[in-house]
């Protein structure tokens, strides 16, 4: 469950700390007091995009921190798969926002926004103000069903996507093969020419590097010989370094016997003389052996041109040229035996379609089983939400072809009046009814998903009176098994609070700030009076507020 929320420098919030409790946590306050900032800040901490305008004016940064207590073993295992390990049964998720960037962390380790969203999906479910409008899109209906039945559907759907991708790949190959057939003879002739061109070259891996070394040496032969000759003259000719070194050695030898130190230096000079003589012999041999052969140079140049032409044409390296030859040979044989290739392709296509059809049927069967369970549970929940004579079902239609999601579309249908046939939600349900339907669905999904914390942002839009009371009672029931955090403007729902928080706006030193505080029971009754009476709170309004709170307490005590 969500233990606490810490907000700093976010919009109207200078700094606030909220400690949530088990059961039903209600947030209320006047319009514009900053209720939306609470949900917005939670969304930010959970990885949603951080608008720059959310940063409080004159502040260098904004900070949101959530602390979750994780006691559910299933959640622990799922978090473990993400390399997230609760410390003292707690997971801390934070987001620091500056003008230029934002940084998200889980248990003090920096993570990506996508990682935060993935972790958040295991811990909390947020229903935004307008999310119920998504029920008007049929695609959402199948997503809800698949989420409800994911225990059996998840692996099957993975296999379905795999089978679909395999099938699609073969269909694309077939289409390409049919297009290839039109210019087959012309392409065969061209492929044969290119394959022969590569084969005639008799390429050897590494040959191009050896040739380039030889070519570079021969192309610079004159420069090499001039430099070698000059070096020889300097080290081995008349007046050269060798002659000077030999003379120096003889001079040192005449006096070495008079001083032991000179003997060592004389030895070093002797080694230098020996090394330089060896160098001169090898350099002389190199000069006498190196002869420039015009014909050899021409052959190397010609071969190198041939290889470079093939490299330029087929990929830039000898490996790429030989790989191109293999691919072209394979394509040549395929086009040469075109009819056989088409027959094999058709056989592969039939096998892939059979496999896709089989897994699609399996997914469809599982969906229809879960659809019966889900719609029955939603109907029961809707009765609790003052849909007294409701029918709720799901209808499936075949798609025109195969898709990665199977061969069917699903749509929720509803009838809210006796004797009326079921119809699509968009044709029957109002905004308030859609909101209650989504509340029922969220409740059921939370039970199957074992999500501990549910957040509802003004789920009560468009409802009042008896319906509002039914929604309040439903919230209370959900709160017995889940932590519920709900922003509301209806006193019926607020009266059911286990923890009632008031969000209010004040002006401090000519600056507007929002604050949030936990209300004692008497303070909660005063807030209920405000919600009931509006601007003028009379004694009768306060009496009604006290009665509403007493009835809510009685209902909570005896409601199962």
């Amino acid at each position: 469950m969500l233990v606490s929320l810490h907000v700093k420098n976010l919009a109207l919030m200078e700094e606030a700390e909220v400690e949530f409790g088990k059961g039903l946590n209600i947030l209320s306050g006047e319009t514009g007091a900053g209720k939306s900032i609470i949900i917005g800040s939670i969304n930010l901490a959970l990885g949603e995009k951080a608008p720059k305008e959310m940063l409080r004016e004159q502040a260098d940064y904004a900070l949101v921190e959530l602390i979750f207590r994780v006691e559910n073993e299933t959640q622990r295992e799922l978090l473990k798969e993400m390399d997230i390990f609760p410390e003292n049964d707690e997971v801390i998720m934070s987001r620091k926002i500056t003008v230029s960037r934002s940084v998200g962390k889980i248990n003090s380790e920096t993570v990506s926004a996508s990682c935060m969203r993935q972790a958040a999906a295991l811990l909390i479910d947020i229903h935004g103000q307008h999310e119920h409008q998504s029920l008007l899109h049929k695609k959402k209906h199948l997503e809800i069903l698949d989420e409800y039945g994911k225990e059996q559907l998840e692996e099957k759907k993975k296999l379905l996507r795999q089978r679909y991708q395999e099938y699609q790949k073969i269909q694309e190959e077939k289409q390409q093969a049919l297009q290839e057939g039109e210019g087959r003879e012309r392409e065969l002739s061209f492929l044969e020419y290119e394959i022969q061109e590569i084969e005639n070259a008799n390429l050897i891996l590494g040959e191009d590097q050896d040739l380039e070394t030889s070519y570079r040496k021969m192309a610079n032969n004159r420069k090499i010989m001039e430099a070698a000759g000059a070096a020889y003259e300097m080290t081995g000719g008349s007046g050269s370094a060798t002659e000077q070194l030999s003379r120096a050695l003889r001079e040192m030898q005449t006096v070495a016997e008079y001083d032991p130190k000179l003997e060592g230096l004389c030895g070093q000079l002797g080694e230098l003389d020996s090394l330089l003589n060896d160098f001169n012999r090898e350099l002389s041999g190199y000069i006498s052996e190196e002869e420039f052969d015009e014909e050899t140079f021409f052959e190397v140049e010609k071969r190198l041109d041939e290889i470079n032409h093939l490299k330029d044409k087929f990929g830039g390296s000898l490996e790429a040229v030989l790989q191109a030859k293999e691919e072209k040979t394979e394509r040549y044989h395929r086009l040469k035996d075109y009819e056989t290739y088409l027959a094999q392709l058709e056989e592969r296509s039939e096998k892939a379609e059979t496999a896709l059809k089989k897994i699609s049927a399996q997914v469809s069967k599982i969906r229809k089983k879960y659809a019966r369970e889900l719609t029955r549970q939603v109907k029961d929940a809707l009765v609790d939400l003052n849909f007294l004579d409701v029918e709720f079902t799901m209808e499936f239609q075949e798609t025109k072809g195969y898709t990665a999601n199977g061969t069917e579309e699903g749509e929720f249908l509803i009838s809210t009046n006796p004797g009326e046939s079921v119809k699509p939600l968009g044709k029957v349900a109002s905004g308030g009814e859609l909101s209650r339907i989504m509340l029922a669905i969220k409740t059921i999904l939370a039970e199957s998903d074992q999500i501990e914390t549910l957040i509802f942002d003004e789920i009560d839009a468009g409802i009042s009176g008896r319906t509002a009371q039914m929604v309040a009672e439903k919230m209370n029931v959900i709160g017995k098994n889940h932590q519920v955090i709900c922003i509301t403007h209806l006193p019926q729902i607020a009266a059911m609070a286990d923890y009632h928080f008031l969000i209010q706006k004040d002006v401090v030193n000519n600056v507007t700030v929002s604050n949030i505080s936990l209300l004692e029971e008497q303070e909660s009754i005063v807030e209920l009076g405000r919600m009931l009476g509006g601007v003028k709170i009379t004694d009768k309004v306060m009496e009604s507020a006290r009665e509403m709170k007493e009835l809510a307490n009685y209902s909570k005590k005896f409601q199962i």
Side-chain angles (χ1 to χ4, degrees), residues 53 72 289 447 497:
E53 57 269 21
N72 183 297
E289 289 173 4
E447 293 291 349

Side-chain angles (χ1 to χ4, degrees), residues 31 49 72 98 108 115 117-118 131 149 152 154 164 188 256 293 315 333 346 364 366 372 377 387 423 439 441 512 514:
T31 301
K49 188 177 179 181
N72 183 297
T98 65
S108 301
C115 179
R117 285 193 291 271
Q118 190 179 349
E131 190 182 344
Q152 285 192 31
E154 198 164 23
Y164 176 74
L188 274 170
D293 186 341
H333 290 309
E346 188 60 40
S364 178
I366 295 170
R372 289 190 292 271
Q377 290 186 41
F387 284 88
K423 294 176 184 175
L439 171 59
I441 290 170
T512 303
S514 287

Side-chain angles (χ1 to χ4, degrees), residues 480-526:
K480 291 185 182 300
N481 298 311
H482 297 82
Q483 180 191 46
V484 179
I485 299 170
C486 176
I487 290 180
T488 186
H489 65 275
L490 290 180
Q492 293 96 326
I493 295 176
M496 286 288 185
D498 295 306
Y499 300 88
H500 189 173
F501 298 90
L502 175 64
I503 303 171
Q504 53 191 350
K505 188 165 59 175
D506 298 307
V507 177
V508 180
N509 297 326
N510 295 320
V511 177
T512 303
V513 294
S514 287
N515 296 298
I516 181 167
S517 56
L518 176 62
L519 302 179
E520 298 291 342
E521 180 149 331
Q522 188 55 42
E523 293 172 322
S524 178
I525 292 170
V526 173

Side-chain angles (χ1 to χ4, degrees), residues 288-353:
S288 62
E289 289 173 4
E290 286 297 321
E291 293 182 8
F292 181 76
D293 186 341
E294 189 77 38
E295 187 176 345
T296 302
F297 178 67
F298 174 75
E299 290 297 327
V300 169
E301 186 177 38
K302 181 180 176 185
R303 177 64 172 166
L304 197 55
D305 286 344
E306 180 184 19
I307 289 175
N308 286 334
H309 168 71
L310 292 173
K311 283 164 64 174
D312 290 342
K313 189 174 180 180
F314 297 112
S317 68
L318 286 184
E319 289 83 357
V321 175
L322 295 172
Q323 178 65 29
K325 179 198 165 189
E326 287 184 18
E327 292 171 359
K328 291 177 183 299
T329 302
E330 182 183 340
R331 183 167 177 77
Y332 176 83
H333 290 309
R334 192 170 78 191
L335 290 174
K336 192 75 174 174
D337 201 4
Y338 183 66
E339 298 303 327
T340 303
Y341 167 63
L342 280 182
Q344 290 173 345
L345 204 53
E346 188 60 40
E347 185 179 347
R348 284 171 57 208
S349 177
E350 288 174 4
K351 285 182 179 179
E353 184 174 6

